[in-house]
Amino acid sequence: GINAEYMGGLASVDATVHGSLASTYGVQGYPTIKVFGLNKKKPTEYSGGRTADAIISAALSEAKSMVNERLSGKKSGGAKKEKAEKKEEKSDSDVVTLTGDNFQAEVLDSKDLWLVEFYAPWCGHCKNLKPEWEKAATELKGQVKVGAVDATVHSELAGKYGVRGYPTIKVFLPGEKSGNGDPEDYSGPREASGIVGYAMQKLDDAGLGPDVTQAVSSAELDACFTKKVCVVSVLPHISDGGAKARNDYLEVVRGAAKKLRSKPFGFYWMEAGSQQSFENTLGLTYGFPALVAMNKDKMKFTSHTGPFDTKAIVSTLNAMKATGTLKALPTLVTTEPWDGKDWVESADEL
């Protein structure tokens, strides 16, 4: 006989009352019967006869299988393998795994823009979205946070946000968040480029346009090279046109950065003459302002030769036709950042 310890029970759920629970398990028609065997997180579909004898027979067969698997130790081994696989899978992902335990700290206590997917492992549409979601997360890294919640495990969290189907994507806007974060429903594209474009537009709407950072040490250049393409503008010395001219140049570069923000470009700038080694390596010895785009993976660079305006720069960066090869990655010496003021001659220069 079968030990009663391993015997289960029969239960029913009114799916019209507990719609969220039914949705969690993919119930689309009635009656639907699920068998919760050894792995309670992954019930199987019952497709046997609908007579008492058939149901009892199926239940006894499942119970017997559970007994055999537990006695053979398969449960613990399988669980360890599953956990190891999940851990390995997560390690290569830029998608943040969100749970009921970390959701408050990761999402609600942050000022970042978050795109959060609520999914079910068995959901076909979720499986189709996954590679696009992963790709979008990688492209948005450092600008927008992308997360995912397994709603079948964290059903209380899913219920809190009214999740009734999968995948459901919620948008938590940048800035201080109160209460449940008051998220918006995402209704944009489901391919990576569209997801990235949607997120970038949300940043624009919030007045968080792309920045162009001054490179005053190798630390900034290293940060720039975390992007697929590192774009550096070399602007004239502050004595050449003053603060107004420099700010006008920076506005041109910001305009290009904004138009290309859905692409993996990093934008930085430096003052001409402040980084002689860098300028010599890239052949930027005259004709400022100048702009160069470097691809670290290919060790190639492209020099912008057209007019220094947003349209022309965007055209150059979209084409990315290599004009030179990098024998080694350039380095920078540490300099003082610009204070935003006009140039003042020193006593020695008077």
Side-chain angles (χ1 to χ4, degrees):
I2 298 176
N3 192 317
E5 178 186 349
Y6 296 110
M7 292 297 290
L10 299 177
S12 62
V13 176
D14 185 339
T16 64
V17 175
H18 306 287
S20 178
L21 180 61
S23 178
T24 296
Y25 293 106
V27 175
Q28 298 179 339
Y30 311 115
T32 291
I33 301 174
K34 297 284 184 177
V35 180
F36 291 79
L38 196 64
N39 188 342
K40 296 296 187 291
K41 293 181 180 180
K42 295 183 178 180
T44 59
E45 194 88 21
Y46 174 77
S47 57
R50 299 303 169 100
T51 65
D53 287 343
I55 294 171
I56 291 171
S57 177
L60 289 174
S61 176
E62 181 67 26
K64 187 176 292 185
S65 296
M66 290 173 62
V67 171
N68 291 334
E69 289 186 14
R70 287 183 179 179
L71 291 177
S72 66
K74 287 185 179 179
K75 180 185 177 183
S76 58
K80 287 180 181 177
K81 182 179 179 182
E82 184 177 341
K83 287 181 180 178
E85 288 175 350
K86 285 186 176 180
K87 185 176 181 181
E88 183 179 349
E89 180 181 340
K90 290 176 184 175
S91 64
D92 297 331
S93 175
D94 290 315
V95 176
V96 180
T97 299
L98 297 170
T99 68
D101 292 331
N102 70 3
F103 198 87
Q104 178 72 38
E106 290 281 0
V107 180
L108 300 181
D109 291 343
S110 82
K111 294 183 179 180
D112 296 309
L113 169 63
W114 274 88
L115 303 183
V116 179
E117 177 205 8
F118 290 84
Y119 71 94
W122 44 259
C123 162
H125 291 303
C126 302
K127 292 176 182 178
N128 292 336
L129 176 63
K130 185 176 180 179
E132 301 298 317
W133 200 241
E134 295 276 357
K135 186 177 178 181
T138 298
E139 291 188 24
L140 291 169
K141 190 175 182 179
Q143 302 179 81
V144 177
K145 296 291 184 68
V146 178
V149 178
D150 184 341
T152 66
V153 176
H154 306 286
S155 54
E156 185 176 345
L157 184 60
K160 177 180 178 180
Y161 290 103
V163 175
R164 297 184 179 278
Y166 309 113
T168 290
I169 300 172
K170 297 288 183 178
V171 182
F172 293 81
L173 298 176
E176 296 283 353
K177 301 172 182 63
S178 59
N180 70 348
D182 193 25
E184 298 179 355
D185 288 323
Y186 176 87
S187 56
R190 297 299 173 99
E191 72 280 355
S193 61
I195 295 167
V196 171
Y198 177 96
M200 294 295 97
Q201 186 59 53
K202 284 296 180 184
L203 288 179
D204 282 346
D205 293 345
L208 301 174
D211 198 12
V212 181
T213 305
Q214 184 180 6
V216 294
S217 71
S218 288
E220 285 78 32
L221 201 58
D222 290 344
C224 188
F225 276 123
T226 62
K227 299 293 185 179
K228 184 175 181 179
V229 177
C230 173
V231 182
V232 177
S233 298
V234 184
L235 305 183
H237 189 273
I238 191 64
S239 62
D240 187 359
K244 183 182 184 308
R246 176 166 291 180
N247 284 323
D248 286 345
Y249 289 135
L250 287 173
E251 196 58 36
V252 166
V253 181
R254 288 192 190 98
K258 185 174 181 179
K259 289 183 179 296
L260 296 168
R261 67 182 306 168
S262 64
K263 296 190 175 184
F265 291 171
F267 286 86
Y268 286 75
W269 71 276
M270 63 181 63
E271 182 177 82
S274 66
Q275 302 290 345
Q276 290 290 346
S277 175
F278 179 92
E279 294 172 26
N280 291 336
T281 298
L282 279 303
L284 306 172
T285 55
Y286 65 93
F288 303 109
L291 180 143
V292 63
M294 298 167 284
N295 187 314
K296 179 181 177 181
D297 294 335
K298 296 181 179 180
M299 293 297 284
K300 301 283 187 180
F301 68 88
T302 298
S303 296
H304 175 63
T305 57
F308 202 84
D309 60 51
T310 296
K311 184 177 180 180
I313 291 172
V314 168
S315 179
T316 293
L317 295 179
N318 274 328
M320 280 301 292
K321 295 180 179 178
T323 56
T325 300
L326 293 169
K327 295 181 179 179
L329 292 179
T331 58
L332 304 184
V333 297
T334 300
T335 60
E336 290 295 320
W338 180 43
D339 60 8
K341 298 178 181 179
D342 272 316
W343 179 62
V344 177
E345 286 184 309
S346 67
D348 293 338
E349 294 171 314
L350 291 174

